[in-house]
Amino acid sequence: MLRKYLLLPLLASYGAAVTISVAKSGGNVTTNLQYGAMEEEINHCGDGGLYAELIRNRAFQGSEMYPSSLDAWSGVGHSSLSLKNLSDPLSTALPTSVNVKGKGTVGLVNAGFWGIDVRPQKYTGSFYVKGSYHGTFTASLLSSTGKVLASTKVPSKGNAHEWVQHEFVLFPKKKAANTNNTFSLTFDASKASDGSLDFNLISLFPPTWNDRPNGMRKDLMQALADLGPKFLRFPGGSNLEGQTIEGRWKWNETIGPLKDRPGRATAWLYEETSGIGLIEYMEWCDDLNMEPILAVWSGLSLSGEVVPEEELDFYVQDALNEIEFLTGSVHTEYGALRAKLGHPKPWKIRYVEVGNEDNLSDGLDSYKAYRFQAFYDAISAKYPDIQVLASTIDMTIPGKAGGDYHLYDVPDNMVKQFNMFDNFRPDQPILLGEIAATEPNNGVGINWDDKNFSLYPWWIGTVSEAVFLLGAERNADKIIGTTYAPFLMNLDSYQWSPTLLSFNSNPEETARSTSWHLYSLFNHNHMTNTLPATSSDDFGPLYYVTGVDKKTDSHIFKAAVYNSTAEVPVSLTFEGVGRGTKADLTILTAADPFDMNEVGGENMVNSKTTKIKAGKKGEFSFKLPNLSIAVLTTN
Ligand SMILES: *[C@@H]1O[C@H](CO)[C@@H](O)[C@H](O)[C@H]1NC(C)=O
Ligand SMILES: *[C@@H]1O[C@H](CO)[C@@H](O)[C@H](O)[C@H]1NC(C)=O
Ligand SMILES: *[C@@H]1O[C@H](CO)[C@@H](O)[C@H](O)[C@H]1NC(C)=O
Ligand SMILES: *[C@@H]1O[C@H](CO)[C@@H](O)[C@H](O)[C@H]1NC(C)=O
Ligand SMILES: *[C@@H]1O[C@H](CO)[C@@H](O)[C@H](O)[C@H]1NC(C)=O
Ligand SMILES: *[C@@H]1O[C@H](CO)[C@@H](O)[C@H](O)[C@H]1NC(C)=O
Ligand SMILES: *[C@@H]1O[C@H](CO)[C@@H](O)[C@H](O)[C@H]1NC(C)=O
Ligand SMILES: *[C@@H]1O[C@H](CO)[C@@H](O)[C@H](O)[C@H]1NC(C)=O
């Protein structure tokens, strides 16, 4: 995917420096804007990604859209595998199980989410069996050539009358040569009453982030922790909406024991397990210290089905139930349910978004006419402290509600929207819930039918995002936060690119994209207030925002250079910051405008921090190259 360009050395330079004088006050604003994360099940980013489960298709979950299958499974030797809907299933949520039949040693093998990472660490597994069996099971991790990497014997507790869960651990002695490994579960058919047994919910976890059972993959959580997002928008995105009304994301089918979660057809071409459910999202927020921005279903599906006004109450009530489940005391109906599931302490929810992109899928008329208002009124009445957000800004937003704006575009258009928020009102907070440069400049802007979307964020795109984000930071009183979307992509099965983090089954190959480096730099240099600046030049090719972090008294300059033919010399002064003041100047560049951080590849973003000192008049003098992103902070 890497396009190599020959670059001429950038020797040319602007004659006179761009002078920027930052005042102490007058026209400054208080920052609300935070950098956050956005998540939904897409690109196998949850199942097969962040969610640490290693077994793909662990419970043969299916739907009308994606029928149950034996995907990822195969039989050992001459074993025959068949899907069955038994009259006494494991649970109503998981009606389909697999029957394994044969002679001698039989069993089934799982290919994982396109491989399984095997290294010396503890793997925790379990499976359910139905059938009388007087022998032992063997659970193993195998290499692609069949070499046993770890194995354990599990004595049978199975009988013909009920489903019995069996647990085991595996501890490989060595790291496998690659991740092309499988999991196998075998038994001796001659000791099973009719030569066959039924299995369901076969699961295997490596160690997880914070050691949470049913938890998250460590390397991906580490990449998020290092980014330091301040909020999480979930559970979507299109995935919240579902393809049909019936296919919507139903919060109460994502909680409780795994055997009671039916899973669902995602909006993204595969069935999900709902292993990451509502509680896992909240624990994820807890673990990374993120503010939850909860999206509730708003009565619109992606196919354009809309709930009529007279039937909307049920869904409004369901959203209230969901909020009560998360925030209610243990004396409320749904708060009690949360407590029963091990979380007596209520969570705090300050933001609720009603739907996703309700201006699309023919949803805008009904959203404006009755859908948004109904949710807004009910949520505000019961929870006056919650900031309700509309999922679009293509309408007159009532009362104190806010909106959500999404932008996917080519780099030139990202840059052209630098001024977009200058005329917005500060009393209606806006979330930038999905932002990304998605395909190279092509003269026509984004074309959704064109499949030329970049596989990974690439350097020009990242710089253009920086320019757009600087425009947002200049209006940081009007904007609650901004996030790249989508966030994660399993390179072995994805539906949308580019994303912030890309990965495969090998944690050592996870790619923190060029845009990850942008978000990380801007996020880690938070200003509490912007400060007004006057300049010798108009914006472009240099774009910037100036401000201060009142907590540390550090003055901050964030900038990006886009479309320059030469490096841009800058002379920057802050009122009240005198001669000799020291500052750190960090500049991000890449050797090639189309550099991308690829899965398994090296980091192409150069980050260079230098110490500089203010001159006689308190000026900081430095040069910023074309296609660079920079942050200066005074010490
Ligand atoms: C912003 O300006 C106001 C008055 O205009 C001043 O009181 C306040 O201290 C300024 N904030 C900062 C961070 O300088
Ligand atoms: C199990 O039931 C589902 C519907 O509930 C059906 O779609 C599927 O074909 C059935 N599978 C088998 C193996 O009978
Ligand atoms: C992985 O193993 C399978 C056999 O189990 C083989 O067909 C495939 O080529 C292997 N892939 C790699 C990348 O080694
Ligand atoms: C989920 O909530 C809806 C609305 O209250 C209810 O109709 C449905 O039965 C619930 N489902 C489960 C599995 O509890
Ligand atoms: C809906 O809003 C998004 C921004 O959130 C915008 O990109 C898109 O063009 C809008 N679609 C329509 C049909 O108005
Ligand atoms: C960048 O430069 C090209 C070529 O001069 C021009 O077509 C384009 O509009 C410029 N983009 C921006 C955002 O200024
Ligand atoms: C997609 O990219 C190819 C190769 O770069 C190009 O030939 C084609 O015109 C592009 N399609 C669109 C719709 O831009
Ligand atoms: C400067 O940046 C633009 C994009 O902003 C890029 O298209 C152009 O090639 C760069 N110019 C040079 C001389 O590197």
Side-chain angles (χ1 to χ4, degrees):
M1 286 311 291
L2 198 64
R3 276 158 285 188
K4 278 285 173 206
Y5 275 60
L6 258 185
L7 270 192
L8 295 171
L10 292 173
L11 297 176
S13 173
Y14 272 46
V18 178
T19 60
I20 301 168
S21 314
V22 184
K24 236 181 184 164
S25 61
N28 58 4
V29 301
T30 304
T31 298
N32 292 316
L33 186 148
Q34 300 285 3
Y35 289 88
M38 183 266 159
E39 195 54 333
E40 65 175 317
E41 183 58 65
I42 175 178
N43 290 327
H44 277 281
C45 67
D47 281 354
L50 202 57
Y51 185 45
E53 172 68 82
L54 292 169
I55 305 299
R56 177 153 55 102
N57 194 17
R58 68 183 176 190
F60 318 99
Q61 285 150 294
S63 59
E64 228 165 80
M65 209 173 299
Y66 313 118
S68 293
S69 74
L70 283 166
D71 272 4
W73 292 102
S74 55
V76 170
H78 296 293
S79 315
S80 78
L81 310 185
S82 53
L83 291 179
K84 295 260 160 79
N85 290 344
L86 301 179
S87 54
D88 46 354
L90 171 58
S91 62
T92 42
L94 301 179
T96 306
S97 48
V98 65
N99 181 268
V100 182
K101 200 179 176 112
K103 292 210 163 58
T105 298
V106 298
L108 67 179
V109 174
N110 191 276
F113 287 93
W114 307 280
I116 295 177
D117 177 50
V118 176
R119 59 186 68 220
Q121 58 185 7
K122 185 177 166 189
Y123 292 78
T124 309
S126 67
F127 56 91
Y128 284 87
V129 181
K130 189 162 177 293
S132 159
Y133 175 50
H134 303 285
T136 58
F137 298 97
T138 303
S140 316
L141 286 164
L142 305 173
S143 76
S144 59
T145 56
K147 196 174 140 211
V148 177
L149 304 169
S151 186
T152 188
K153 296 233 178 290
V154 188
S156 170
K157 302 184 278 179
N159 68 63
H161 312 292
E162 57 184 347
W163 285 94
V164 180
Q165 190 178 25
H166 292 70
E167 293 177 335
F168 62 92
V169 298
L170 286 169
F171 209 114
K173 287 205 177 64
K174 284 198 306 211
K175 188 174 156 199
N178 55 46
T179 60
N180 198 8
N181 307 310
T182 59
F183 169 76
S184 106
L185 183 60
T186 59
F187 62 99
D188 179 354
S190 68
K191 294 180 180 161
S193 60
D194 63 350
S196 88
L197 290 172
D198 297 297
F199 294 86
N200 206 347
L201 194 46
I202 304 168
S203 171
L204 186 69
F205 276 82
T208 60
W209 184 262
N210 269 359
D211 289 326
R212 285 194 188 272
N214 198 46
M216 306 291 200
R217 185 168 139 174
K218 282 177 137 180
D219 64 301
L220 295 174
M221 284 295 271
Q222 187 64 56
L224 288 175
D226 292 347
L227 182 73
K230 301 292 192 297
F231 66 84
L232 177 69
R233 171 174 174 248
F234 68 91
S238 302
N239 202 38
L240 167 76
E241 297 172 73
Q243 295 292 357
T244 59
I245 292 178
E246 204 27 51
R248 71 191 182 277
W249 193 83
K250 296 176 185 160
W251 70 271
N252 62 354
E253 292 186 358
T254 72
I255 57 175
L258 298 182
K259 74 177 178 45
D260 295 331
R261 302 187 196 185
R264 68 186 273 276
T266 65
W268 299 106
L269 307 179
Y270 60 94
E271 193 80 2
E272 68 173 309
T273 62
S274 299
I276 297 187
L278 185 54
I279 287 182
E280 286 77 16
Y281 275 118
M282 296 306 296
E283 291 175 340
W284 179 11
C285 288
D286 289 347
D287 283 351
L288 294 187
N289 221 345
M290 299 183 290
E291 170 97 51
I293 299 185
L294 173 71
V296 297
W297 194 73
S298 67
L300 172 72
S301 76
L302 285 167
S303 62
E305 287 180 335
V306 167
V307 175
E309 188 165 9
E310 60 278 12
E311 289 168 26
L312 196 65
D313 266 2
F314 174 84
Y315 302 96
V316 173
Q317 188 55 49
D318 193 47
L320 293 177
N321 296 348
E322 182 177 359
I323 299 170
E324 182 178 287
F325 175 77
L326 294 174
T327 67
S329 88
V330 299
H331 305 297
T332 60
E333 180 183 353
Y334 291 96
L337 175 59
R338 183 195 64 240
K340 209 177 105 193
L341 298 178
H343 287 269
K345 190 166 160 240
W347 278 290
K348 209 166 169 58
I349 299 283
R350 294 200 303 156
Y351 296 96
V352 171
E353 178 167 3
V354 178
N356 171 64
E357 294 179 345
D358 283 85
N359 67 333
L360 302 177
S361 313
D362 293 327
L364 190 57
D365 287 347
S366 57
Y367 197 64
K368 287 203 284 201
Y370 61 89
R371 289 192 295 117
F372 180 70
Q373 193 77 42
F375 283 90
Y376 174 61
D377 289 347
I379 295 168
S380 312
K382 188 159 179 202
Y383 301 100
D385 294 338
I386 287 182
Q387 170 70 60
V388 180
L389 302 175
S391 69
T392 173
I393 57 172
D394 289 350
M395 63 189 270
T396 308
I397 294 171
K400 288 193 207 140
D404 185 355
Y405 177 72
H406 298 175
L407 178 61
Y408 295 104
D409 218 325
V410 298
D412 269 357
N413 289 345
M414 304 289 300
V415 171
K416 284 175 189 153
Q417 299 212 53
F418 173 71
N419 289 328
M420 163 165 191
F421 302 105
D422 292 354
N423 299 317
F424 276 50
R425 286 161 41 189
D427 57 333
Q428 289 210 310
I430 303 294
L431 178 68
L432 306 179
E434 302 185 16
I435 304 295
T438 45
E439 66 175 312
N441 290 322
N442 53 23
V444 292
I446 215 81
N447 169 8
W448 296 105
D449 297 326
D450 165 19
K451 301 292 176 241
N452 280 0
F453 281 33
S454 182
L455 181 55
Y456 301 105
W458 72 112
W459 188 241
I460 292 185
T462 295
V463 176
S464 76
E465 288 159 10
V467 174
F468 180 76
L469 295 177
L470 290 167
E473 281 217 35
R474 285 168 48 77
N475 293 283
D477 54 336
K478 305 168 192 169
I479 295 170
I480 307 166
T482 178
T483 166
Y484 192 100
F487 235 67
L488 293 135
M489 162 170 88
N490 186 324
L491 202 58
D492 288 312
S493 176
Y494 64 91
Q495 295 75 39
W496 181 294
S497 68
T499 64
L500 202 73
L501 288 164
S502 304
F503 59 90
N504 59 24
S505 54
N506 183 353
E508 282 151 31
E509 298 197 342
T510 293
R512 301 177 177 197
S513 68
T514 52
S515 293
W516 183 96
H517 289 273
L518 156 67
Y519 270 78
S520 182
L521 180 69
F522 278 7
N523 180 34
H524 286 111
N525 290 285
H526 180 76
M527 40 180 87
T528 56
N529 295 79
T530 63
L531 291 174
T534 49
S535 173
S536 59
D537 293 55
D538 291 337
F539 288 115
L542 173 69
Y543 302 84
Y544 58 86
V545 59
T546 49
V548 62
D549 179 2
K550 281 191 163 175
K551 289 185 201 126
T552 57
D553 211 24
S554 172
H555 286 74
I556 299 173
F557 166 81
K558 297 186 184 179
V561 176
Y562 183 87
N563 241 8
S564 179
T565 50
E567 25 177 39
V568 181
V570 179
S571 174
L572 169 73
T573 53
F574 295 97
E575 187 182 348
V577 173
R579 176 181 190 165
T581 304
K582 287 184 189 136
D584 291 325
L585 175 66
T586 300
I587 302 179
L588 305 185
T589 53
D592 185 302
F594 287 94
D595 273 346
M596 304 173 181
N597 286 347
E598 305 187 41
V599 167
E602 58 183 307
N603 173 25
M604 310 299 278
V605 178
N606 304 310
S607 173
K608 198 169 173 199
T609 301
T610 48
K611 302 231 174 261
I612 59 173
K613 218 189 248 185
K616 272 189 203 131
K617 295 179 179 146
E619 79 284 7
F620 294 102
S621 302
F622 50 90
K623 287 176 181 168
L624 298 179
N626 183 31
L627 294 183
S628 65
I629 299 169
V631 171
L632 177 142
T633 54
T634 63
N635 299 153

